[in-house]
Amino acid sequence: MNIRVAGSRSWSGPWVWGFAAAALVWLVILVISGQGGGQTVSLALSLAPYLVIVGLGQMLVVTAGPGNIDVSVASVISLAGFVSVAAASATGSAAVGILAGIGAGAGVAAVSTVAILGLSVPPIIATLAAGLVASSITLSTANGFTAVPDAGLRAALNLRPAGVPVLALAIAVLTVLVAALLRRTVYGRSLVAVGQNRRAAERAGVPVARVIATTYLLSGALAGLTGALLAAYIAPSADLGTRYLLDSVAVVVIGGTLISGGRAVPVGVWGAALFFILLDGLVNLVGWSTAAQNLLKGGLVLLVLFLAGGGDRSGGLASLFRRRPRPAAATTTTTTSTATTITGEDTDG
Protein backbone atom coordinates (compact mmCIF):
# COMPACT_ATOMS: atom_id res chain seq x y z
CA MET A 1 0.00 0.00 0.00
CA ASN A 2 1.49 3.37 -1.04
CA ILE A 3 1.65 6.05 1.59
CA ARG A 4 2.29 9.70 0.75
CA VAL A 5 5.19 11.46 2.40
CA ALA A 6 3.95 13.45 5.34
CA GLY A 7 3.31 17.07 4.43
CA SER A 8 3.29 16.40 0.69
CA ARG A 9 -0.10 18.05 0.22
CA SER A 10 1.50 21.47 0.60
CA TRP A 11 4.23 20.79 -1.99
CA SER A 12 2.02 22.01 -4.82
CA GLY A 13 1.60 25.58 -3.59
CA PRO A 14 4.71 27.33 -2.17
CA TRP A 15 6.71 27.22 -5.41
CA VAL A 16 4.18 29.44 -7.21
CA TRP A 17 5.34 32.63 -5.47
CA GLY A 18 8.87 32.46 -6.85
CA PHE A 19 7.62 32.13 -10.43
CA ALA A 20 5.05 34.88 -9.85
CA ALA A 21 7.75 37.22 -8.55
CA ALA A 22 10.00 36.37 -11.51
CA ALA A 23 7.17 37.10 -13.94
CA LEU A 24 6.50 40.44 -12.24
CA VAL A 25 10.15 41.51 -12.46
CA TRP A 26 10.27 40.40 -16.11
CA LEU A 27 7.25 42.59 -16.91
CA VAL A 28 8.88 45.58 -15.21
CA ILE A 29 12.06 45.02 -17.27
CA LEU A 30 9.94 44.79 -20.41
CA VAL A 31 8.19 48.08 -19.67
CA ILE A 32 11.39 49.94 -18.80
CA SER A 33 13.52 48.63 -21.68
CA GLY A 34 10.76 48.75 -24.29
CA GLN A 35 12.33 45.78 -26.04
CA GLY A 36 11.20 42.23 -26.67
CA GLY A 37 11.23 40.03 -23.60
CA GLY A 38 12.43 36.86 -25.33
CA GLN A 39 16.09 37.81 -25.09
CA THR A 40 15.72 38.63 -21.40
CA VAL A 41 14.17 35.24 -20.70
CA SER A 42 16.87 33.47 -22.71
CA LEU A 43 19.60 35.24 -20.76
CA ALA A 44 17.92 34.45 -17.45
CA LEU A 45 17.67 30.79 -18.47
CA SER A 46 21.40 30.86 -19.26
CA LEU A 47 22.39 32.09 -15.80
CA ALA A 48 19.76 30.55 -13.53
CA PRO A 49 20.86 26.89 -13.92
CA TYR A 50 24.11 27.51 -12.01
CA LEU A 51 22.14 28.87 -9.06
CA VAL A 52 19.63 26.03 -9.37
CA ILE A 53 22.32 23.33 -9.14
CA VAL A 54 23.84 24.66 -5.92
CA GLY A 55 20.35 25.52 -4.66
CA LEU A 56 19.20 21.92 -5.02
CA GLY A 57 22.09 20.76 -2.87
CA GLN A 58 21.38 23.41 -0.27
CA MET A 59 17.71 22.41 -0.34
CA LEU A 60 18.58 18.83 0.61
CA VAL A 61 20.65 20.05 3.55
CA VAL A 62 17.95 22.43 4.80
CA THR A 63 15.36 19.65 4.52
CA ALA A 64 17.36 17.63 7.05
CA GLY A 65 15.99 19.81 9.85
CA PRO A 66 16.81 22.78 12.08
CA GLY A 67 20.44 23.81 12.22
CA ASN A 68 21.40 22.13 8.95
CA ILE A 69 22.92 24.52 6.44
CA ASP A 70 25.94 24.27 4.18
CA VAL A 71 27.94 27.50 4.29
CA SER A 72 30.89 25.95 2.45
CA VAL A 73 29.20 26.03 -0.98
CA ALA A 74 30.76 29.33 -2.04
CA SER A 75 34.29 28.11 -1.27
CA VAL A 76 33.58 24.75 -2.90
CA ILE A 77 32.42 26.41 -6.12
CA SER A 78 35.62 28.48 -6.35
CA LEU A 79 37.87 25.50 -5.56
CA ALA A 80 36.02 23.16 -7.93
CA GLY A 81 36.38 25.71 -10.72
CA PHE A 82 40.17 25.60 -10.52
CA VAL A 83 40.32 21.83 -10.03
CA SER A 84 38.01 21.20 -12.97
CA VAL A 85 39.85 23.48 -15.39
CA ALA A 86 43.23 22.09 -14.31
CA ALA A 87 42.07 18.48 -14.72
CA ALA A 88 40.47 19.14 -18.09
CA SER A 89 43.60 20.93 -19.32
CA ALA A 90 45.90 18.13 -18.12
CA THR A 91 43.84 15.29 -19.61
CA GLY A 92 42.25 17.01 -22.59
CA SER A 93 38.83 15.77 -21.42
CA ALA A 94 36.05 18.08 -20.28
CA ALA A 95 34.26 15.10 -18.71
CA VAL A 96 37.26 14.34 -16.52
CA GLY A 97 37.36 17.99 -15.52
CA ILE A 98 33.70 17.96 -14.49
CA LEU A 99 34.19 14.75 -12.49
CA ALA A 100 37.23 16.29 -10.80
CA GLY A 101 35.17 19.32 -9.80
CA ILE A 102 32.43 17.10 -8.39
CA GLY A 103 35.06 15.07 -6.53
CA ALA A 104 36.58 18.23 -5.04
CA GLY A 105 33.15 19.28 -3.78
CA ALA A 106 32.47 15.85 -2.30
CA GLY A 107 35.90 15.89 -0.65
CA VAL A 108 35.22 19.16 1.14
CA ALA A 109 31.78 17.86 2.13
CA ALA A 110 33.41 14.71 3.56
CA VAL A 111 35.45 16.90 5.91
CA SER A 112 32.26 18.63 7.05
CA THR A 113 30.50 15.29 7.49
CA VAL A 114 33.25 13.86 9.69
CA ALA A 115 33.14 16.97 11.87
CA ILE A 116 29.34 16.92 12.14
CA LEU A 117 28.85 13.21 12.78
CA GLY A 118 32.18 12.19 14.27
CA LEU A 119 32.96 15.21 16.42
CA SER A 120 29.40 16.52 16.99
CA VAL A 121 30.34 19.95 15.64
CA PRO A 122 27.29 22.10 14.71
CA PRO A 123 26.77 22.00 10.93
CA ILE A 124 27.22 25.73 10.41
CA ILE A 125 30.59 25.62 12.21
CA ALA A 126 31.71 22.42 10.49
CA THR A 127 30.88 23.65 7.00
CA LEU A 128 32.40 27.06 7.75
CA ALA A 129 35.66 25.41 8.79
CA ALA A 130 35.67 23.16 5.75
CA GLY A 131 34.97 26.18 3.58
CA LEU A 132 37.94 28.04 5.05
CA VAL A 133 40.17 25.07 4.24
CA ALA A 134 38.81 25.05 0.68
CA SER A 135 39.40 28.81 0.37
CA SER A 136 43.02 28.41 1.46
CA ILE A 137 43.60 25.71 -1.14
CA THR A 138 41.90 27.89 -3.77
CA LEU A 139 44.14 30.88 -3.05
CA SER A 140 47.23 28.70 -3.27
CA THR A 141 46.05 27.18 -6.54
CA ALA A 142 45.13 30.53 -8.06
CA ASN A 143 48.68 31.83 -7.63
CA GLY A 144 50.27 31.41 -11.05
CA PHE A 145 47.37 29.40 -12.47
CA THR A 146 47.63 29.31 -16.27
CA ALA A 147 45.18 26.62 -17.46
CA VAL A 148 42.24 27.78 -19.57
CA PRO A 149 38.68 26.38 -19.69
CA ASP A 150 37.87 23.68 -22.23
CA ALA A 151 36.66 25.38 -25.42
CA GLY A 152 34.26 22.56 -26.31
CA LEU A 153 32.54 22.66 -22.92
CA ARG A 154 32.26 26.43 -23.08
CA ALA A 155 30.67 26.19 -26.53
CA ALA A 156 28.21 23.57 -25.26
CA LEU A 157 27.22 25.78 -22.32
CA ASN A 158 26.48 28.60 -24.75
CA LEU A 159 24.26 26.55 -27.06
CA ARG A 160 20.73 28.00 -27.29
CA PRO A 161 18.62 26.17 -29.87
CA ALA A 162 15.41 28.17 -30.42
CA GLY A 163 16.65 30.54 -27.71
CA VAL A 164 16.50 27.88 -24.99
CA PRO A 165 19.91 27.09 -23.41
CA VAL A 166 20.85 23.42 -23.52
CA LEU A 167 22.13 23.72 -19.94
CA ALA A 168 18.70 24.87 -18.75
CA LEU A 169 17.13 21.75 -20.26
CA ALA A 170 19.76 19.52 -18.66
CA ILE A 171 19.28 21.07 -15.22
CA ALA A 172 15.50 20.81 -15.62
CA VAL A 173 16.03 17.06 -16.01
CA LEU A 174 18.30 17.10 -12.95
CA THR A 175 15.55 18.84 -11.00
CA VAL A 176 13.07 16.14 -11.97
CA LEU A 177 15.56 13.49 -10.84
CA VAL A 178 16.02 15.21 -7.47
CA ALA A 179 12.24 15.38 -7.06
CA ALA A 180 12.01 11.67 -7.83
CA LEU A 181 14.83 10.98 -5.38
CA LEU A 182 12.85 12.71 -2.64
CA ARG A 183 9.48 11.20 -3.46
CA ARG A 184 10.29 7.71 -4.74
CA THR A 185 13.32 6.45 -2.82
CA VAL A 186 13.90 5.30 0.74
CA TYR A 187 16.64 7.93 1.10
CA GLY A 188 14.30 10.75 0.10
CA ARG A 189 11.51 9.67 2.43
CA SER A 190 14.05 9.13 5.20
CA LEU A 191 15.44 12.64 4.71
CA VAL A 192 11.98 14.19 4.96
CA ALA A 193 11.21 12.10 8.04
CA VAL A 194 14.46 13.16 9.72
CA GLY A 195 13.68 16.80 8.97
CA GLN A 196 10.16 16.51 10.39
CA ASN A 197 11.07 14.67 13.57
CA ARG A 198 14.59 13.33 14.01
CA ARG A 199 13.84 11.50 17.25
CA ALA A 200 10.83 9.70 15.79
CA ALA A 201 12.87 8.78 12.71
CA GLU A 202 15.58 7.28 14.90
CA ARG A 203 13.00 5.24 16.82
CA ALA A 204 11.58 4.02 13.53
CA GLY A 205 14.97 2.60 12.60
CA VAL A 206 16.03 5.26 10.12
CA PRO A 207 19.85 5.35 9.76
CA VAL A 208 19.98 9.06 10.56
CA ALA A 209 23.77 9.37 10.42
CA ARG A 210 23.85 7.78 6.97
CA VAL A 211 21.07 10.06 5.73
CA ILE A 212 22.84 13.18 7.03
CA ALA A 213 26.17 12.08 5.55
CA THR A 214 24.61 11.37 2.16
CA THR A 215 22.87 14.74 2.20
CA TYR A 216 26.02 16.78 2.83
CA LEU A 217 27.98 14.76 0.29
CA LEU A 218 25.28 15.43 -2.32
CA SER A 219 25.35 19.14 -1.49
CA GLY A 220 29.13 19.23 -1.87
CA ALA A 221 29.00 17.29 -5.14
CA LEU A 222 26.37 19.62 -6.60
CA ALA A 223 28.35 22.68 -5.51
CA GLY A 224 31.39 21.12 -7.17
CA LEU A 225 29.39 20.58 -10.36
CA THR A 226 28.34 24.22 -10.23
CA GLY A 227 31.94 25.33 -9.93
CA ALA A 228 33.08 23.11 -12.79
CA LEU A 229 30.42 24.40 -15.17
CA LEU A 230 30.67 28.01 -14.04
CA ALA A 231 34.45 28.08 -14.48
CA ALA A 232 34.03 26.81 -18.04
CA TYR A 233 31.27 29.35 -18.74
CA ILE A 234 33.16 32.35 -17.32
CA ALA A 235 36.65 31.60 -15.98
CA PRO A 236 38.05 30.20 -12.72
CA SER A 237 38.66 32.80 -10.02
CA ALA A 238 39.07 32.90 -6.26
CA ASP A 239 35.73 34.69 -5.83
CA LEU A 240 33.79 32.64 -8.39
CA GLY A 241 31.34 31.31 -5.81
CA THR A 242 31.08 34.33 -3.52
CA ARG A 243 27.54 35.36 -4.44
CA TYR A 244 26.20 31.82 -4.31
CA LEU A 245 26.25 31.34 -0.52
CA LEU A 246 23.44 33.71 0.42
CA ASP A 247 21.66 33.26 -2.91
CA SER A 248 21.57 29.47 -2.51
CA VAL A 249 19.87 29.79 0.86
CA ALA A 250 17.47 32.47 -0.39
CA VAL A 251 16.28 30.50 -3.42
CA VAL A 252 15.63 27.48 -1.19
CA VAL A 253 13.44 29.42 1.22
CA ILE A 254 11.69 31.54 -1.41
CA GLY A 255 11.09 28.39 -3.42
CA GLY A 256 8.92 26.94 -0.66
CA THR A 257 11.28 24.61 1.20
CA LEU A 258 10.77 24.86 4.95
CA ILE A 259 13.73 26.49 6.69
CA SER A 260 12.75 24.34 9.69
CA GLY A 261 13.16 21.18 7.61
CA GLY A 262 10.89 18.34 6.60
CA ARG A 263 9.64 19.71 3.26
CA ALA A 264 11.58 20.15 0.03
CA VAL A 265 10.29 21.83 -3.13
CA PRO A 266 12.75 21.27 -6.00
CA VAL A 267 10.68 23.07 -8.64
CA GLY A 268 10.50 26.11 -6.36
CA VAL A 269 14.27 26.53 -6.60
CA TRP A 270 13.83 27.26 -10.31
CA GLY A 271 11.26 29.99 -9.76
CA ALA A 272 13.33 31.66 -7.05
CA ALA A 273 16.52 31.44 -9.13
CA LEU A 274 14.82 33.10 -12.11
CA PHE A 275 13.48 35.77 -9.75
CA PHE A 276 16.98 36.55 -8.47
CA ILE A 277 18.59 36.60 -11.92
CA LEU A 278 15.89 38.87 -13.35
CA LEU A 279 16.05 41.11 -10.29
CA ASP A 280 19.79 41.58 -10.85
CA GLY A 281 19.03 42.51 -14.44
CA LEU A 282 16.40 45.03 -13.36
CA VAL A 283 18.56 46.90 -10.87
CA ASN A 284 21.42 47.03 -13.37
CA LEU A 285 19.04 48.31 -16.06
CA VAL A 286 17.85 51.25 -13.97
CA GLY A 287 21.39 51.99 -12.80
CA TRP A 288 20.60 52.16 -9.10
CA SER A 289 23.29 52.47 -6.47
CA THR A 290 24.39 49.40 -4.49
CA ALA A 291 22.45 50.60 -1.44
CA ALA A 292 19.26 51.04 -3.47
CA GLN A 293 19.73 47.65 -5.10
CA ASN A 294 20.07 45.95 -1.73
CA LEU A 295 17.00 47.78 -0.43
CA LEU A 296 14.92 46.67 -3.41
CA LYS A 297 16.15 43.09 -3.19
CA GLY A 298 15.53 42.90 0.53
CA GLY A 299 12.03 44.36 0.21
CA LEU A 300 10.98 42.02 -2.58
CA VAL A 301 12.44 38.98 -0.86
CA LEU A 302 10.59 39.82 2.35
CA LEU A 303 7.37 40.30 0.37
CA VAL A 304 7.68 36.92 -1.32
CA LEU A 305 8.52 35.25 1.99
CA PHE A 306 5.49 36.85 3.63
CA LEU A 307 3.13 35.74 0.85
CA ALA A 308 4.54 32.21 0.92
CA GLY A 309 4.70 32.04 4.70
CA GLY A 310 1.35 30.32 5.06
CA GLY A 311 2.83 27.01 4.00
CA ASP A 312 5.63 27.11 6.56
CA ARG A 313 4.89 25.17 9.67
CA SER A 314 7.24 27.48 11.54
CA GLY A 315 4.61 30.10 10.90
CA GLY A 316 6.28 33.06 9.27
CA LEU A 317 4.77 36.53 9.67
CA ALA A 318 1.34 35.32 8.66
CA SER A 319 1.22 33.08 11.72
CA LEU A 320 1.01 36.14 13.97
CA PHE A 321 -2.61 36.49 12.91
CA ARG A 322 -3.58 32.84 13.30
CA ARG A 323 -4.57 31.07 16.45
CA ARG A 324 -2.21 28.25 17.29
CA PRO A 325 -3.87 24.91 18.06
CA ARG A 326 -2.89 23.17 21.26
CA PRO A 327 -0.33 20.42 20.57
CA ALA A 328 -1.71 16.91 20.73
CA ALA A 329 -0.28 14.51 23.24
CA ALA A 330 2.50 12.34 21.87
CA THR A 331 1.59 8.72 21.29
CA THR A 332 3.45 5.63 20.29
CA THR A 333 1.82 5.80 16.85
CA THR A 334 4.35 8.46 15.82
CA THR A 335 7.09 5.91 15.32
CA THR A 336 4.77 3.60 13.39
CA SER A 337 3.61 6.47 11.14
CA THR A 338 7.19 7.50 10.45
CA ALA A 339 8.16 3.97 9.51
CA THR A 340 5.12 3.71 7.23
CA THR A 341 6.02 7.01 5.54
CA ILE A 342 9.61 5.97 4.92
CA THR A 343 8.98 2.50 3.59
CA GLY A 344 5.80 3.37 1.68
CA GLU A 345 4.17 0.25 3.09
CA ASP A 346 1.27 -0.35 5.45
CA THR A 347 2.87 -1.75 8.58
CA ASP A 348 -0.44 -3.29 9.53
CA GLY A 349 -0.11 -5.57 6.53
Side-chain angles (χ1 to χ4, degrees), residues 97-110:
I98 292 174
L99 290 175
I102 294 174
V108 175

Side-chain angles (χ1 to χ4, degrees), residues 317-340:
L317 294 178
S319 67
L320 295 176
F321 305 100
R322 297 197 302 266
R323 293 187 62 184
R324 296 180 181 273
R326 296 180 62 184
T331 67
T332 57
T333 60
T334 301
T335 302
T336 302
S337 299
T338 302
T340 301

Side-chain angles (χ1 to χ4, degrees), residues 50 54 70-87 97 100-106 108 130-143 145 147 149 219-232 234-245:
Y50 303 100
V54 66
D70 189 351
V71 298
S72 68
V73 293
S75 300
V76 167
I77 289 173
S78 298
L79 174 62
F82 281 105
V83 171
S84 175
V85 171
I102 294 174
V108 175
L132 290 175
V133 172
S135 294
S136 299
I137 298 174
T138 299
L139 291 175
S140 299
T141 305
N143 187 21
F145 189 82
S219 177
L222 288 171
L225 175 61
T226 304
L229 296 177
L230 198 59
I234 306 175
S237 67
D239 60 352
L240 184 65
T242 300
R243 64 163 292 180
Y244 287 92
L245 171 55

Side-chain angles (χ1 to χ4, degrees), residues 22-210:
L24 177 61
V25 175
W26 174 74
L27 287 174
V28 173
I29 292 175
L30 189 61
V31 170
I32 293 177
S33 65
Q35 300 176 357
Q39 184 177 0
T40 301
V41 173
S42 180
L43 180 60
L45 288 174
S46 297
L47 299 175
Y50 303 100
L51 182 53
V52 171
I53 300 171
V54 66
L56 289 173
Q58 191 73 263
M59 177 198 69
L60 295 175
V61 172
V62 170
T63 303
N68 285 287
I69 187 171
D70 189 351
V71 298
S72 68
V73 293
S75 300
V76 167
I77 289 173
S78 298
L79 174 62
F82 281 105
V83 171
S84 175
V85 171
S89 178
T91 62
S93 171
V96 171
I98 292 174
L99 290 175
I102 294 174
V108 175
V111 175
S112 301
T113 302
V114 170
I116 294 169
L117 298 177
L119 304 176
S120 299
V121 177
I124 191 171
I125 302 300
T127 54
L128 177 62
L132 290 175
V133 172
S135 294
S136 299
I137 298 174
T138 299
L139 291 175
S140 299
T141 305
N143 187 21
F145 189 82
T146 57
V148 295
D150 183 83
L153 179 56
R154 173 171 287 180
L157 293 174
N158 282 289
L159 282 177
R160 299 184 192 179
V164 179
V166 171
L167 180 62
L169 297 176
I171 303 309
V173 173
L174 175 63
T175 306
V176 172
L177 293 176
V178 171
L181 177 72
L182 287 165
R183 301 297 299 274
R184 303 299 180 186
T185 67
V186 173
Y187 162 74
R189 292 190 288 267
S190 297
L191 176 62
V192 172
V194 170
Q196 290 175 348
N197 192 323
R198 180 165 180 164
R199 180 173 298 179
E202 289 175 340
R203 291 177 177 175
V206 176
V208 174
R210 187 189 308 166

